[in-house]
Structures are given as structure tokens and as C-alpha cells.
Amino acid sequence: MKSLSGRVAVVFGAWMGLCAAVASAQVTVPPPKDTESRQHGFSVERIYGTSSLLGHPTTGIVWAPDGKHVGYFTDLAGEAKQGRRKELWEMDAATGEKQLLVGADKLDSALPAEAQNTSQATGLGRHAPGQYQWAPNGEALLLQGGTALAWFDLKSQTAKPLVSGKEAIADPKISPDGKWVSFVRDHNLWLVRVADGKERVFTKGGSEEIRKGELDWVYPEELELTTAYWWAPDSSSIAFLEMDERKVTQYPLVDFESPVGGTDEERYPVAGGNNPIVRVYVGKVDGGEARVMDTGAETNIYIPRVEWLPDSKRVAIERLNRAQTVIDLLFAEAGSGKSRVVMSEKDLYWINVNDDLKFLKDGKRFLWSSEKTGYRHIYLHDMEGKQLAQLTNGEWEVTGLQGVDEAKGEVYFTATEKSPLERHLYRVGLDGAGFARVSKEEGTHVVKFAPGAGAYVDTYSTNLVPPRQDLMHTDGSRAGVINENKVAALEDLHLSPVEFLQVKSHDGVELNAMMIKPPNFDAAKKYPVLVIRTAGRTRRS
């Protein structure tokens, strides 16, 4: 049976809302007489109208390509409230030392004011675009606005415009060689040369009905795919999805900002209805017709993941059947489009997709995670799909492959080994030896590894501790504090501790639950109870 750890997550924000709801249901408190008193207690306005109880987690945490520095935004000194002007700082991964990278004035002037709204052009609202990216050589930054891109030279502290205009752009990426920037505009992929700012369209014929390199609604929502195109490691080619939406049902959605009751159309494939027909193409950057990759004759399928192999000659494509019970890993030749099935997995009921496919630099092996034992674990395979080793095992599940230090032969991953109510970071050797837990504090650890896996940023929280962000060495020791994120207001609330327990379902399965009692709880009294049930993702077919 599959692990139930995904059914319960100890998330601070969700817990705070639950605690407030339970407290309001169980305790009668006289209404406050003034605004000041309302600020020091629970109220609907305070819980849902401000994030003060969560603190202010740091945004824009992005590793430099060499893995030796990490960048992040801070509020300009003297303007600590969220939404104010930002500075860009960096921290040394070895020492934890901080220094200013780009000041607020230079960030503000790098992009036109009308272009600084970074809205999502795909209409998804699920994956906000990044605000900056490091150039591959670490000497410049790509700054993104809603309709513009700018190239910022770190040495001279000057910016030059790459793209400007009134049309929305999305999903910009820098080519691995740093010579090009790609982006989505008007349902097509575009390229702009960094050296001279010259633009050209990379795909042709894109429209709302047939999207080139642009996601629809269902792929990010149901398959958690965050992009629809991928650069080859040698920058010679781009693999991209073509999404034919013509048979997908359109639903009118009311535009509540419209003064005349306008509507927007959203393509939404209901269960059993038509999904988009998705094909994988590869196009050469120096020109020529894009070539379609062979993913089989059946079009009523999903293509949930695409990844280049290290040789830049082959593309790995994951193919999932409509019922989501069979997943195939295909290797397709970029030059010819011919493909072969390297691996195939089946399940009677459900296959979960993930982001755990990782090719090693030697070009001879790759990592893959599977739930074939009933719990997700990591496996090492050769390029023919043969299993070489099972790196993790046990009655717990891997929740994400986080990084690989190939020089040391170590794999880092998050898992539920300690408890399904917690998330911890672990390491294991590529030979399956040396399994160890890296994170120390009990609770939830969300990590972001540096390239090369020499360090990581740890976002740590518990049901009583808002997310704090630290720069960590791979032995679990702290290199520096990015944001301690202490929230003094929480101490004034005198919250009751959360109690965790298990309840048995009608078929004998132990389910995790939590209970929050009102302040000054008296076991001799009866209280009204508010029950909130959580569940996993709704199945779609």
C-alpha cells in the first residue's frame, strides 16, 4: 500500500488558520473596543488580511552558477514593510559573509517602471516567474519584468535593455553558453542575442489554440510542470512542447475587475473530456525546421517531463497514459526524432510523476525514483534502463531528489524516514552505502541545493515556528543566517501546543491527525469542536 505521508503536512500557515478557527469556535471573547487591542489577538481580519503572524520570509533566493554564493532580496534599510523597495544581496557559501550585490536604485532603474509587474503570461497564476537569473559565468544578471528584460553587468553596475514593449513575456531563460536569452511571447518562443539585443522568433504559428513552448492550464495544475521548453546543454538546440488546445473545452470566467461584467475564456479539460494533444519538437538555434520527436501513435496521453541527456544529442521524454497507470521513459534522437523505450513502469491504480530524473555527468548512468515497492525510493540505472542499485529502501518515502555531489559520490534527498509528519534532508552514496540524516532540528526542512551540491539553503519550520532561512554546509552545520524571521506577536497569543495523534479508519489504516485545544483547557468541561479534513490531490482521468 502506498505511504500515507502525503496526506498530512505540518504547514505553519495552514496550521495558523486552523488554530484560529478552533479557538474562535471554542472560546467566547468579548469584542475588542479599539484597533490596538484587535491587533494583539485573533481576528478574521488579522488571520486573513495580513501575513504578520508568518513573518516575512526572504524572496529571490537564487544560487550563483559556481555554487559559491547565493543571492537574495532584502527590504531597503528603513523600509522594512513588505512591498517596499528591495536590494539584492549575496552570501558566501563557505563563510556566511554578506555583501550588497545590487542596490535598490539600480534595481529600480534597470527596467521601465511600467514593465516591472512580473505577471504570469500563461494565465496560470501557479508559478510566478523569477525576478532575476545569474548569467552562466556569474558576471551578470538577467532582470525580468512583466513586459521587459534587462541585462545587468555586476562589475560595472550598469544595465542594458534586452526586450521592451507592451506585450507580456514569460519563462525567460539564459542559454547555457550565455549568448542568448529565450522567452515566451504571443504563444511563441523568441530569442534575443545578449551581445546586441537583436530579437527573432524561434517558433512560428503559435496561437491561443496551438501553443509553442507555452503551457496550458492542466499541465502545471495537475502534472506540476513549470516550463514547456528546454535548452540543450551545448546551447545548440531547444526542445519544446507544442500544445494543441483546439478540442479542449472553453469555460467563461467572470472578470471581477471589469466595470461592465466582462469575461475571460479558460480552456479546462473536464474528467473524461478532451485534453490537449501534446508533441515534443527540437529546433536548432542556428535555424532550420523543428523536428518532431516520436512519442507513439496514441495522442490521448500526457508528456509530463522532458530532459536533455548530457550529450545534447538525445532527449529524455516521459510518456504517461491517460489513466495514469503506465509511464514510459523514452530516449529520442534530436536529429532524427527516432525514439526507443528505455524503461516502463505500471501500477494497477496510479502513477505519480516527479522531478527525480537525474543524468550523471559520465553519460553512462542516471537516477530515477519509483514507488514500485509501495514507497518511493531512488534507483541507479545504466543508459539501457538496467537497474544497477537501489539507493534507498524502507517503509518510508523519498519526497524529492535534491542534489548530487558526483565528486564525492553522494546523493541528497528529502524523505519521511523519521516521521511522515516531518521532512528531513538525507544523504546516501551512489553505491547505496553511507545513509545518514543531515538535518537536525525536528520539523519540516525545504532545501535548495547549490550547483554541485556543495551547500544548500534550508527553509525550516514547525507548527509553532514560522519559516526561517539559513545557509548550510552539507554536514548540517550552519554557515550563515539569511532570515531568522522571528515573530514577536506569536508570543503574545499564548497559543496552546498542537497535539498529534492517530485515528484508525474503517478499514484499519492508521491516519495522522492533530488537535488544538482552547487556552486554559478544562478536561471537565465540554467544548464545541471544529473538524477539518484534508485530502490529497483529486484524481483526474
Side-chain angles (χ1 to χ4, degrees), residues 84 86 155 183 197 260 269-270 445 455 530:
R84 299 295 180 90
K86 302 286 185 180
K155 185 177 181 180
F183 59 95
V260 293
V270 297
H445 297 264
L530 175 65

Side-chain angles (χ1 to χ4, degrees), residues 134-327:
W134 292 83
N137 61 10
E139 297 176 357
L141 302 174
L142 175 67
L143 304 179
Q144 180 190 354
T147 60
L149 298 173
W151 192 260
F152 190 91
D153 183 87
L154 290 171
K155 185 177 181 180
S156 65
Q157 291 285 294
T158 58
K160 67 176 181 180
L162 284 183
V163 179
S164 59
K166 295 183 178 180
E167 295 183 26
I169 61 176
D171 201 10
K173 298 177 186 177
I174 307 172
S175 63
D177 62 8
K179 295 180 179 179
W180 299 92
V181 172
S182 53
F183 59 95
V184 177
R185 183 174 64 195
D186 205 17
H187 310 296
N188 278 299
L189 271 177
W190 291 72
L191 296 178
V192 58
R193 193 157 50 197
V194 173
D196 55 18
K198 290 186 178 180
E199 293 182 29
R200 66 180 174 89
V201 66
F202 183 74
T203 61
K204 296 180 180 179
S207 66
E208 187 278 329
E209 291 185 329
I210 301 179
R211 304 176 182 215
K212 310 270 188 171
E214 180 187 45
L215 291 169
D216 67 343
W217 179 89
V218 72
Y219 267 62
E221 176 67 22
E222 300 295 342
L223 299 172
E224 297 182 342
L225 188 63
T226 59
T227 186
Y229 75 95
W230 302 262
W231 278 92
D234 65 0
S235 301
S236 64
S237 306
I238 299 176
F240 63 92
L241 300 183
E242 179 193 84
M243 311 194 79
D244 187 340
E245 303 277 333
R246 286 176 291 184
K247 294 185 178 180
V248 179
T249 304
Q250 283 187 301
Y251 280 83
L253 301 176
V254 175
D255 180 1
F256 290 102
E257 294 184 354
S258 170
V260 293
T263 60
D264 294 321
E265 297 288 335
E266 180 69 72
R267 293 190 183 271
Y268 175 79
V270 297
N274 291 318
N275 277 328
I277 296 174
V278 179
R279 296 181 175 88
V280 182
Y281 282 82
V282 172
K284 288 280 190 180
V285 172
D286 59 8
E289 196 73 23
R291 187 179 297 274
V292 67
M293 302 294 103
D294 181 11
T295 56
E298 177 61 63
T299 59
N300 193 18
I301 58 170
Y302 300 105
I303 305 292
R305 298 292 184 271
V306 176
E307 183 76 32
W308 280 93
L309 274 70
D311 60 12
S312 294
K313 297 178 180 179
R314 292 172 291 173
V315 180
I317 302 170
E318 295 182 29
R319 179 178 65 194
L320 185 66
N321 68 332
R322 178 70 184 263
Q324 294 187 235
T325 57
V326 180
I327 192 166

Side-chain angles (χ1 to χ4, degrees), residues 3-10 416 419-423 499-505 509-515 532-534:
S3 169
L4 294 171
S5 62
R7 299 296 183 184
V8 176
V10 185
T416 64
S419 167
L421 301 178
E422 299 184 30
R423 295 293 182 272
E499 298 179 26
F500 294 98
L501 61 150
Q502 289 188 323
V503 294
K504 187 171 290 187
S505 68
V509 177
E510 295 286 349
L511 301 177
N512 292 306
M514 62 182 182
M515 178 168 58
I532 298 179
R533 184 183 67 178
T534 62

